[in-house]
Amino acid sequence: MTDIPTLIAARKTLTTIPEWTLQNDQFRLVATLDLDGVTLDGIWLRVTAYKAIPDRRVSFQIEFKPEGFRHIPAARVDWRPANPHSNRNIGPAHLRLMVIEGSHHHTFDANWPLGFERMVSENLPIAEPLVPDPRDFEGLLHLVGRLFNVDGMKGIAVPKWEPGLFDR
Amino acid sequence: MSDMENRNTAFRAIIEEVARSLASVRHEGEASYVRTPILYPGGSLVVVRVEQAGRHYLISDMGLGFVEADQMGAEVSFGRTAPHIAEKAGIAFEHHSFIVKEVSRDQLVGAVATVAACSQEAVQITAMKLSERKTVDASERLYGRLIRVFTPAKVTRHAEVYGASNTPWSVAALVKSDDHQAVFEPVTDHPNSVASAVAKFVDLSQLDRPPARVAVVHDKKTFGTRLNLIASAAKVIEEGATDRMLERVADLQAA
């Protein structure tokens, strides 16, 4: 496998238009990625959303699989999450101890220097606010495609949300 | 009022503001959401949902702990851990969520705190187990290298070795020659992994004829001062060490 920072920085494309699956109350989607026409092994995009919660609590995560390990999160965008995020006193100086109330981006560049063991066991502990915060799902796809260097994101369908009385 | 008193008043006002900001609440529809200052390992703050049900209240973590574990790829491990945590605290774990039902007004504060603590603890334990599981992966890789360098006949996997305290220790790999032994143990930078390995190495180092002790780490730089701790009782090499280096630290000849 090409080294991970190079893969993350490279312009990639969704291999196919991925379909949502509904598992319990969650929409899930996993999409393989192509680089120069070759489908990459050990790196994919994983997306989750909640059936009863439209336009909130959507996560896009790029994951990679180092030899001998399982898939590990490399970067994640949490759009309108249920809970705020607080950075610890680690990482880039301008992000330390920052509390982010809304949408945020756990960037690869900020978390990779921690080493992949901490990336997984601490679930990408460093985040920065998502700017601009997309107004809708289509805007989110566009932004995530830019942040993750992935083309073809607009092919992902808007989840068929069914707003419920309760979001658990 | 003196300058000192003015400074004290301003300081106390700031700290009171900080204390008020540590927890907050958002009301939405039928439910309210209490933001606690408790952090999951990844830095997300624990938020607890409170809903009125007749004369009682229903408290839930909304499955946020599960989401944290799922993002780490550890949803199965979380699913095994969470029910035990809930049981110990006397609450329920249903549909991926920590829940307390039929809570009275007097019990609300305790219920919110308990649900938040359970949710955080379950994710914390899941993350620790993940760290241990990664060590298992590292142990497999290490064994593969050792049998290539020293031959399978000389390498015992998951061997039991007694320390000076007569405590039996399980080591990832024991390499034996006629008159010499070397133990190899993968160590992650997680404090638990370091503590467990150091206890083992120290006990083995106190033997009359101690084996060579080798800690195998992914990246020495991530250990900080804990590297000194390990190095006080074992040699430390990185996973990418050459075959020649493995022989040298083991004080053994390769096959």
Side-chain angles (χ1 to χ4, degrees), chain B residues 3-251:
Chain B
D3 282 352
M4 174 72 86
E5 285 169 330
N6 277 334
R7 274 200 301 275
N8 278 344
T9 304
F11 171 73
R12 286 168 186 170
I14 290 169
I15 301 308
E16 281 168 16
E17 170 62 25
V18 169
R20 277 195 298 274
S21 303
L22 281 174
S24 60
V25 65
R26 173 173 60 85
H27 307 287
E28 196 175 306
E30 300 291 310
S32 295
Y33 301 83
V34 180
R35 190 189 83 163
T36 76
I38 300 170
L39 292 175
Y40 291 115
S44 298
L45 291 159
V46 178
V47 172
V48 173
R49 184 182 194 273
V50 182
E51 179 194 334
Q52 191 155 17
R55 292 165 51 204
H56 291 94
Y57 301 88
L58 173 68
I59 321 295
S60 155
D61 79 333
M62 302 178 283
L64 293 179
F66 172 80
V67 171
E68 287 286 318
D70 186 38
Q71 287 169 342
M72 294 188 280
E75 69 281 10
V76 175
S77 173
F78 181 86
R80 282 196 294 263
T81 301
H84 296 296
I85 306 260
E87 188 183 359
K88 275 195 302 177
I91 68 174
F93 181 73
E94 296 173 5
H95 307 295
H96 299 154
S97 300
F98 287 97
I99 294 172
V100 201
K101 300 170 184 171
E102 300 200 354
V103 172
S104 69
R105 169 69 186 86
D106 293 345
Q107 296 172 312
L108 261 178
V109 173
V112 169
T114 301
V115 166
C118 285
S119 186
Q120 196 274 348
E121 184 184 355
V123 178
Q124 188 78 48
I125 289 174
T126 301
M128 281 167 57
K129 285 183 176 171
L130 208 55
S131 168
E132 286 162 10
R133 206 161 76 203
K134 287 202 307 293
T135 308
V136 172
D137 292 337
S139 170
E140 301 289 320
R141 290 196 299 272
L142 174 63
Y143 177 72
R145 290 217 45 209
L146 292 175
I147 59 172
R148 275 205 308 275
V149 175
F150 298 108
T151 73
K154 288 184 177 170
V155 184
T156 309
R157 193 182 204 167
H158 306 309
E160 192 171 69
V161 182
Y162 282 81
S165 67
N166 213 29
T167 303
W169 300 100
S170 172
V171 298
L174 173 69
V175 184
K176 282 185 182 175
S177 69
D178 294 340
D179 59 351
H180 188 67
Q181 295 187 341
V183 298
F184 285 81
E185 188 74 15
V187 185
T188 73
D189 57 7
H190 193 285
N192 288 2
S193 175
V194 172
S196 152
V198 168
K200 194 178 298 187
F201 289 139
V202 166
D203 201 19
L204 294 174
S205 72
Q206 316 267 317
L207 290 165
D208 283 345
R209 295 186 64 207
R213 300 160 307 282
V214 185
V216 184
V217 305
H218 177 65
D219 181 358
K220 292 180 187 176
K221 290 195 291 292
T222 63
F223 281 71
T225 55
R226 287 195 275 268
L227 188 64
N228 307 335
L229 196 58
I230 304 171
S232 67
K235 292 171 184 161
V236 186
I237 59 171
E238 292 187 342
E239 287 172 3
T242 61
D243 292 354
R244 189 70 186 274
M245 204 181 285
L246 286 176
E247 292 172 39
R248 207 171 68 227
V249 293
D251 294 330

Side-chain angles (χ1 to χ4, degrees), chain A residues 28 46 50 84 86 101 168, chain B residues 35 42-43 45 49 67 70:
Chain A
R28 287 174 173 251
R46 189 153 73 106
Y50 287 87
S86 176
E101 298 289 341
R168 284 197 291 184
Chain B
R35 190 189 83 163
L45 291 159
R49 184 182 194 273
V67 171
D70 186 38

Side-chain angles (χ1 to χ4, degrees), chain A:
Chain A
M1 184 194 262
T2 312
D3 75 285
I4 300 302
T6 304
L7 278 183
I8 297 293
R11 198 75 216 162
K12 302 168 286 294
T13 309
L14 292 181
T15 306
T16 56
I17 302 299
E19 298 286 330
W20 291 101
T21 59
L22 182 61
Q23 297 176 29
N24 298 318
D25 56 352
Q26 236 188 5
F27 289 119
R28 287 174 173 251
L29 172 159
V30 172
T32 55
L33 303 171
D34 281 9
L35 180 64
D36 297 331
V38 177
T39 301
L40 298 165
D41 62 331
I43 182 165
W44 64 33
L45 173 73
R46 189 153 73 106
V47 193
T48 55
Y50 287 87
K51 183 182 175 185
I53 310 174
D55 295 314
R56 283 191 295 133
R57 293 183 67 178
V58 179
S59 290
F60 286 75
Q61 184 161 279
I62 290 274
E63 300 180 355
F64 67 100
K65 188 179 180 312
E67 195 177 336
F69 284 77
R70 297 164 308 104
H71 277 91
I72 287 174
R76 183 172 67 252
V77 165
D78 290 322
W79 186 49
R80 300 176 182 166
N83 43 352
H85 173 87
S86 176
N87 286 333
R88 282 176 276 156
N89 196 21
I90 56 173
H94 70 287
L95 297 176
R96 291 182 186 180
L97 301 177
M98 179 187 280
V99 177
I100 308 167
E101 298 289 341
S103 305
H104 50 267
H105 179 196
H106 297 256
T107 64
F108 176 78
D109 289 346
N111 288 281
W112 175 252
L114 300 174
F116 55 71
E117 295 194 347
R118 286 188 70 181
M119 288 173 81
V120 63
S121 65
E122 297 175 28
N123 195 15
L124 303 175
I126 304 167
E128 62 183 43
L130 196 62
V131 180
D133 193 353
R135 292 174 56 187
D136 51 28
F137 188 78
E138 285 87 351
L140 177 64
L141 289 176
H142 180 76
L143 180 62
V144 170
R146 183 164 64 75
L147 295 174
F148 287 178
N149 298 312
V150 175
D151 291 330
M153 296 287 289
K154 66 182 178 187
I156 296 177
V158 178
K160 291 180 178 165
W161 280 305
E162 294 177 21
L165 282 175
F166 306 107
D167 57 3
R168 284 197 291 184

